[in-house]
Amino acid sequence: MIEKIKDIYIYIDEAGTLVKTDENKYFILSCYITDSPLQIKDELYSLYESIINTPYLAYEIENFKHQGFHACENHPDIRSRFYSLLLGLNIRIYSVVINKKSRVFERLQARFNESDDLYAFFVRVLLKDRILSERSHNIHIIFEEYGSSISRHLSNMEKVISRIIGGIKANGVKDRISIDVNVHSKEDILLSVIDYTNFVIFQMLKDIPADKNTRMIANFKLIEPKIASLYSMHNAKHYNSRNIINFEEIKVG
């Protein structure tokens, strides 16, 4: 039976920077894949409306209207409601994490002199297998804005995706691969899913005792079933349903 060609959407965002000297120890690049973005958008807007009409959160509403769904700024009660919703969404999450204090990162910085080139490398690591596995469908890739220019970021990402496709075809894959690439601003509510994903992973990587981090651990447990793969690049370990995510192990690497 021939599989029906679908429209597959991949939303991508990062947490942290590629500057080794900043205060953040990790850089995270994540994406989620879905074939139902309109349904997800409806769910997110419904949650938004529910929050702004919740009396318990009345003191937080004006801030929330200004912020939208932005994990690092939102009130913890809003975060908890978002993560609870995320558990029921039709998504698969993939992440790449690197410790910027590691030798692996030092070697990558030496190899890629420009920040854009290093970012492009992480995109290739994150997306190559995703594109390969979804190549029978129409793929729509949406990046959140990065750097000072949306048009420059779009041009860079189009080149990265073209290189990924070229590499796949060079390995003997003859299938048609249909991909369009877009860059959206932070106002795209569909990007909030990956913003929230990156935030909770980032928080779990901080050196906070478990008894002081119970709420974030609970939030992570809500979304963990949606994480299909997390790759810790600095210690070359893949975490998935057969090898559950171990943040203490990742922090040691």
Side-chain angles (χ1 to χ4, degrees), residues 190-209:
L190 286 165
L191 285 164
S192 64
V193 173
I194 210 64
D195 173 76
Y196 261 75
T197 297
N198 283 336
F199 178 80
V200 73
I201 292 173
F202 214 98
Q203 297 302 309
M204 293 295 290
L205 286 167
K206 289 185 175 180
D207 293 320
I208 303 173

Side-chain angles (χ1 to χ4, degrees), residues 21-214:
T21 55
D22 73 7
E23 63 182 14
N24 295 317
K25 187 176 180 180
Y26 297 95
F27 175 78
I28 304 168
L29 187 69
S30 300
C31 71
Y32 74 91
I33 299 178
T34 185
D35 62 1
S36 50
L38 294 181
Q39 179 184 353
I40 293 172
K41 183 179 286 188
D42 286 345
E43 295 274 4
L44 292 171
Y45 276 123
S46 292
L47 177 61
Y48 180 90
E49 290 296 324
S50 173
I51 289 170
I52 64 174
N53 288 294
T54 298
Y56 174 73
L57 291 169
Y59 64 93
E60 191 61 32
I61 297 310
E62 289 308 312
N63 285 335
F64 178 60
K65 286 180 177 179
H66 174 71
Q67 297 160 354
F69 287 120
H70 193 56
C72 70
E73 297 177 345
N74 291 160
H75 186 275
D77 289 332
I78 293 174
R79 288 186 201 139
S80 295
R81 293 185 65 172
F82 190 101
Y83 288 121
S84 296
L85 174 70
L86 194 153
L87 176 62
L89 297 181
N90 176 27
I91 60 174
R92 287 173 287 130
I93 296 169
Y94 300 83
S95 294
V96 176
V97 176
I98 192 163
N99 181 340
K100 295 188 295 183
K101 307 297 183 183
S102 66
R103 292 183 180 179
V104 173
F105 188 75
E106 288 179 358
R107 290 196 293 269
L108 288 172
Q109 278 198 312
R111 178 180 170 188
F112 300 103
N113 293 323
E114 298 293 329
S115 176
D116 285 348
D117 293 335
L118 184 53
Y119 185 93
F121 170 79
F122 284 103
V123 171
R124 291 197 298 275
V125 172
L126 179 68
L127 290 186
K128 180 181 176 182
D129 287 346
R130 312 289 79 78
I131 290 172
L132 185 61
S133 64
E134 301 291 348
R135 68 186 184 279
S136 61
H137 302 297
N138 298 319
I139 303 173
H140 309 274
I141 301 178
I142 301 94
F143 291 89
E144 183 167 315
E145 57 188 310
Y146 176 82
S148 58
S149 168
I150 287 180
S151 60
R152 178 180 176 181
H153 189 42
L154 175 60
S155 176
N156 288 341
M157 293 305 96
E158 286 175 334
K159 291 174 184 175
V160 173
I161 301 306
S162 179
R163 288 180 64 183
I164 292 173
I165 294 171
I168 290 172
K169 290 187 175 295
N171 285 328
V173 175
K174 304 299 182 184
D175 300 0
R176 149 200 173 277
I177 301 179
S178 172
I179 301 179
D180 64 77
V181 181
N182 293 278
V183 175
H184 290 182
S185 74
K186 299 178 186 298
E187 278 66 48
D188 184 348
I189 198 170
L190 286 165
L191 285 164
S192 64
V193 173
I194 210 64
D195 173 76
Y196 261 75
T197 297
N198 283 336
F199 178 80
V200 73
I201 292 173
F202 214 98
Q203 297 302 309
M204 293 295 290
L205 286 167
K206 289 185 175 180
D207 293 320
I208 303 173
D211 62 341
K212 304 291 185 182
N213 203 29
T214 54

Side-chain angles (χ1 to χ4, degrees), residues 83 86-89 91-94 217-229 240-241 244-245:
Y83 288 121
L86 194 153
L87 176 62
L89 297 181
I91 60 174
R92 287 173 287 130
I93 296 169
Y94 300 83
I217 292 171
N219 287 336
F220 175 74
K221 290 298 181 183
L222 283 171
I223 74 162
E224 187 175 15
K226 294 297 182 179
I227 301 178
S229 173
N240 49 43
S241 60
I244 63 172
I245 297 171

